[in-house]
Amino acid sequence: MSLIKEVDYGTPAKKSEKTVTLTIDGKDITVPEGTSVMRASMEAGIQVPKLCATDMVDAFGSCRLCLVEVEGRNGTPASCTTPAADGMVVHTQTERLKKIRKGVMELYISDHPLDCLTCAANGDCELQDMAGAVGLRDVRYGYEGENHVQVRQNGEENPRYMAKDETNPYFTYDPSKCIVCSRCVRACEEVQGTFALTIEGRGFESRVSPGMHENFLDSECVSCGACVQACPTATLQEKSVIEIGQPEHSVVTTCAYCGVGCSFKAEMRGEELVRMVPYKDGKANRGHSCVKGRFAYGYANHKDRILNPMIRESVDEPWQEVSWKEALRFTADKFKGIQAKYGKGALGGITSSRCTNEETFLVQKLIRAGFGNNNVDTCARVCHSPTGYGLKTTFGTSAGTQDFDSVEHTDVVILIGANPTDGHPVFASRLKKRLRQGAKLIVIDPRRIDLVRSPHIEAVAHIPLRPGTNVAVLTSLAHVIVTEGLFDEAFVRERCDWDEFQDWATFVSDPKHSPEAIAEMIGVDGETMRTAARTFATGGNGAIYYGLGVTEHSQGSTTVMAIANLAMATGNIGRPGVGVNPLRGQNNVQGSCDMGSFPHELPGYRHIQDSATRDIFEDIWGVKLDDEPGLRIPNMLDAAVEGTFKGIYIQGEDILQSDPDTKHVAAGLAAMECVVVHDLFLNETANYAHVFLPGSTFLEKDGTFTNAERRINRVRKVMTPLNGFADWEVTQNLARAMGLDWNYTHPSQVMDEIAKTTPSFAKVSYDLLEEKGSVQWPCNDKAPEGTPVMHIDGFVRGKGKFVVTEYVATDERTGPRFPLLLTTGRILSQYNVGAQTRRTENTTWHKEDLLEIHPHDAEQRGIREGDWIRLASRSGETSLRATITDRVAPGVVYTTFHHPGTQANVITTDYTDWATNCPEYKVTAVQVSSSNGPTEWQVEYDRQAEQSRRIKPRVDAAE
């Protein structure tokens, strides 16, 4: 193994059907029109010296190292800013160029520290490389003049020296090593889109500055790492490289955080991870990253991680460490005993959206073939299950329609119920880039998210609807489009059921659905609504991106169908730049659904009652499958409280923190006789567990993840599992203990079984993924290399189905006791329930959950910034600190759910989506009042959790 070195072509690739042919150093090269001479040279295998140029940002032309000579032209133009032209003859190495380059390099080095041997970038420094490339042997100007390098000069303090900035937890900024190439500034602007960096000063006093001469931690920097990646010296350097040294080999793998599915190079020394570097050939992220994927991997070695199996008879007892053999035998005996006493339906399991496709497939196989029932569910139940129902109903398939590259072709975007700058930051950067190029944005969200207005971006319309009124808003947008004749009749007649469209059009055309008629109910004026509808219908390629603010409602499935209606009515399906795109929250939540994690569906979204589908699995698995759908997570908990459901295997999910109505979840878990938690840490659910099976991180296993665009990406093992086994091996060993004859030796064999049984994965194999890098399902005989864009020639179901989406108000209402509406979401630095990110330096930015409250509501209640407040609903109450902001409208409050100390879900109710039981997290009637600190319930919860996490030291048997 060695380091994967990606070619830096100096300037971005150009897309043009027209080509030009030029001669560079005697070589003829043909490139797309608009390509720079520098990139053409690199494509011809000729390296032109450069410092300010990199292919992740546009050409800048400041370093003056990449000069070339062009026959017939005067001077020495910069190759990065000079476009190739037909018949051009270029020379990259002449006596004149050598002299100029050497002189330029002398000037750089005359104001640069000469500590190369002890510098963290030694071996990975472009300045060092370029000094060698131009043949620099001496600096005529010396090092004694004015400089930014030395702390003291001539015995006095050097006013030009600036100390190293170490405030950011993940990287340092050393101004003395800055060559003012501006690559970091341009990466922050062009790649990330934050505009947090600038060049301050002029001439010799120029240097990079975060914001207005701030330190990195206090600036607007979001720690995405783009600046560090762009820096050609050690000016911006990962602290991990400073501490460990340069990596010696790398492995391409996939991030285990959100549903974007970024590809990274895990750069290693031995089995120690030095850093994660975004992979330029990653088709989801195209070489970009966020703070979580780039830096927040320290949880893998955190002291809280449990590495040995543990068991106990009662949750009141301390844990006892045991061998793997003993833990698995204990679990199998408990499970068999429960089924013997209560029946085969008394057991079930929950698959993980953080584990691989192969691991998820094996868990549902264990439940169906081993437990003999269909009591299997996944975290998608509480997030995107309405997506599956709504899109399958309207389009015929339970997934988004586009790839992420599609956003580069969109003209107008509706963003509803999603906050991608926090939840899906790499996609957000790609979206922001397109918006800066002129695409229009419509935001439908109760909060004023960052994308409503940020540097060089402003939404044409922000619809700050009252939480719970999504369906009414979308139906009203459709009303404008239909009544003003803005729908695409040709598309609808050709691709959709015309009779159903007419029924739907009649429904939405009713005057009661007009923007003016619903304005008071939704809290948005009619003209804003009409502007949004007209912009989307007439603006060109229209794409809709949505998140949990759509699905986590009592009408979540209805809202998804309303979105699909809008896309079909405007003809925005079946080509690049359009489509319906759910932004999935976890790294493999799409994959967990694909793999048959719902109680009514086998892998590939085929109903369990379909006998032909059951036959396929029964033939390969050698068992008879139950044809009755099993229990969903809420049903499992209800049955446990009733006394009929007694055992559960939970892989990589923390339902006590993530699921609604915490007290009911706790009651359900407490009523079970054997709760098995398979995870990295003693999470909140483990407070009620009898068996703890230690899990493995994404760094310690092979497999695949499927991201929000249906992209199947390889996960590659880069280190030995600290717990001894990858998660798929743990599940296999449990299956064996239960009496099943499983003999997989590698996850590729599991994928082969998936391909044999699941039509949408029929052509997927590890060999194909090695060859192509990644593919998007369906990948079968019709699409052997995958399907980037769905429904091109027709919908999977045949004709697109329009569904009448009547608005039905949620049963959760405000009133005198609970006059405010609570909605929830995520923050950039934290992920889901925080089990991973809370065990990294990301807590620097988010140490606790806060309640956002509007100044008017805060003033009425005597609440000041940072005060402890009591947050109460009909379900329960908790306490947390308040932050006062006009991001939320009067009458609406908002919080995150990343910290177990808050237990925000003790507030949420048991109301759910009518079709899928997805909880209504986004609408809870609450009251906010002053508080002196944590509630009695929180204190008692912490006490119980502390008692539950006691671990007795392991006592090995005597020889």
Side-chain angles (χ1 to χ4, degrees), residues 6 56 191-192 224 229 252-255 258-265 276-290 293-294 403-405 408 425-430 433 707 709 711 713 774:
E6 297 170 278
M56 65 191 293
V191 179
Q192 170 56 29
C224 67
Q229 186 179 357
V252 175
T253 190
T254 304
C255 179
C258 78
V260 174
C262 296
S263 296
F264 280 88
K265 294 182 294 183
M276 297 288 283
V277 179
Y279 187 46
K280 288 201 300 185
D281 287 341
K283 294 175 184 176
N285 58 319
R286 301 294 182 187
H288 190 36
S289 60
C290 79
R294 182 72 155 92
D403 60 4
F404 286 136
D405 285 349
E408 298 174 5
V426 171
F427 168 73
S429 292
R430 300 188 69 178
K433 186 170 186 176
N707 73 352
E709 50 172 358
R711 185 176 303 284
N713 257 320
S774 62

Side-chain angles (χ1 to χ4, degrees), residues 447 822-827 846 848-853 871 878 880-881 888 893-898 902-905 907 921-922:
R447 288 176 78 230
L822 169 71
T823 189
T824 61
R826 301 183 180 189
I827 200 164
H846 190 74
E848 60 184 327
D849 294 318
L850 300 171
L851 183 82
E852 290 186 3
I853 185 169
L871 180 66
T878 189
L880 67 164
R881 296 183 193 274
V888 292
V893 293
Y894 168 89
T895 190
T896 53
F897 56 95
H898 303 302
T902 307
Q903 283 296 336
N905 281 325
I907 301 298
Y921 291 114
K922 304 303 183 187

